[in-house]
Amino acid sequence: MALPFLPYIVVGVVHLAAVLAGADAVVALTKPLLMPALLLALLLAVPARRGETVVLAALGILFGWLGDLALMNAGAGFVIGLGFFLLGHVAYIVLFVRRMRLRRPRWWSAGYVLWFAGLLTVLAPHAGGLLIPLALYGAALAVLGITGSGCSPWIAGGAALFVVSDSLLGLHRFLPGFALPQADFAIMLTYIAAQGLICWGVVRRVRAAAAVPSLA
């Protein structure tokens, strides 16, 4: 089951190494390959019979890919990328609620509400005309974390890392004086891990449901 994820891991490692080395050409080459490699892993790792679960997971990955491409362009690319990632989060939220045997969110997921309030408070004075889009995006991200917490540890961990990655991105872009060493590396590391863990959790769920038809 893990073998289909090997290309994603390899591309991810090369991309992260290129970020650390400042090899911009390699970064630009590998970033657009990340989500296609993960989508390939999803399609190869699940049984031949695919349904809503795989479609929703594939949409989350596809919108992530479009967001990645948009963020590679300056100017309006950030806002467009934000929109694509928002759609990806919505796809994952629907997936978690409808198909991942969602349990009651864990008690600690209340921390996402506090995180959202705190981050918005910090970024609001610097967001300008992007305040409302950022608030909507942050709210969706908090819901992603909350709903993910009620799923498997793999998905809960992936959703949490998504919150970390996007928080770092927001702070890096909007907060004056924010100086995290190797911020780009930290953002991409948590993002790659987040997408990978969510996909891995989905694959495990689909294969378990296929082995026990009553769980489908």
Side-chain angles (χ1 to χ4, degrees), residues 84-143:
F84 281 131
F85 279 114
L86 176 61
L87 291 174
H89 293 338
V90 171
Y92 280 144
I93 291 167
V94 174
L95 170 65
F96 298 164
V97 172
R98 287 179 56 86
R99 304 301 300 177
M100 290 293 104
R101 294 178 61 83
L102 180 70
R103 302 184 297 272
R104 181 177 299 177
R106 305 298 177 87
W107 64 267
W108 48 261
S109 67
Y112 289 117
V113 178
L114 299 177
W115 157 86
F116 171 63
L119 189 68
L120 194 61
T121 299
V122 169
L123 295 183
H126 314 286
L130 291 177
L131 177 58
I132 293 178
L134 282 177
L136 292 174
Y137 186 87
L141 195 59
V143 174

Side-chain angles (χ1 to χ4, degrees), residues 24-198:
D24 293 340
V26 180
V27 170
L29 176 65
T30 53
K31 189 172 184 180
L33 299 178
L34 287 166
M35 292 304 105
L38 186 60
L39 180 59
L40 179 64
L42 173 69
L43 298 178
L44 291 178
V46 298
R49 182 182 175 183
R50 305 183 182 108
E52 182 185 23
T53 301
V54 175
V55 170
L56 288 170
L59 284 174
I61 295 170
L62 176 61
F63 284 128
W65 176 62
L66 293 173
D68 287 342
L69 295 180
L71 290 181
M72 294 177 70
N73 298 299
F78 180 81
V79 178
I80 296 172
L82 203 68
F84 281 131
F85 279 114
L86 176 61
L87 291 174
H89 293 338
V90 171
Y92 280 144
I93 291 167
V94 174
L95 170 65
F96 298 164
V97 172
R98 287 179 56 86
R99 304 301 300 177
M100 290 293 104
R101 294 178 61 83
L102 180 70
R103 302 184 297 272
R104 181 177 299 177
R106 305 298 177 87
W107 64 267
W108 48 261
S109 67
Y112 289 117
V113 178
L114 299 177
W115 157 86
F116 171 63
L119 189 68
L120 194 61
T121 299
V122 169
L123 295 183
H126 314 286
L130 291 177
L131 177 58
I132 293 178
L134 282 177
L136 292 174
Y137 186 87
L141 195 59
V143 174
L144 178 77
I146 292 169
T147 55
S149 75
C151 301
S152 72
W154 302 104
I155 291 175
L161 286 174
F162 235 132
V163 173
V164 173
S165 180
D166 284 355
S167 299
L168 293 175
L169 178 61
L171 292 169
H172 183 61
R173 182 175 179 88
F174 292 104
L175 186 62
F178 180 76
L180 177 70
Q182 294 293 345
D184 290 339
F185 176 81
I187 291 167
M188 287 308 300
L189 174 62
T190 48
Y191 170 67
I192 291 169
Q195 291 279 32
L197 286 173
I198 290 173

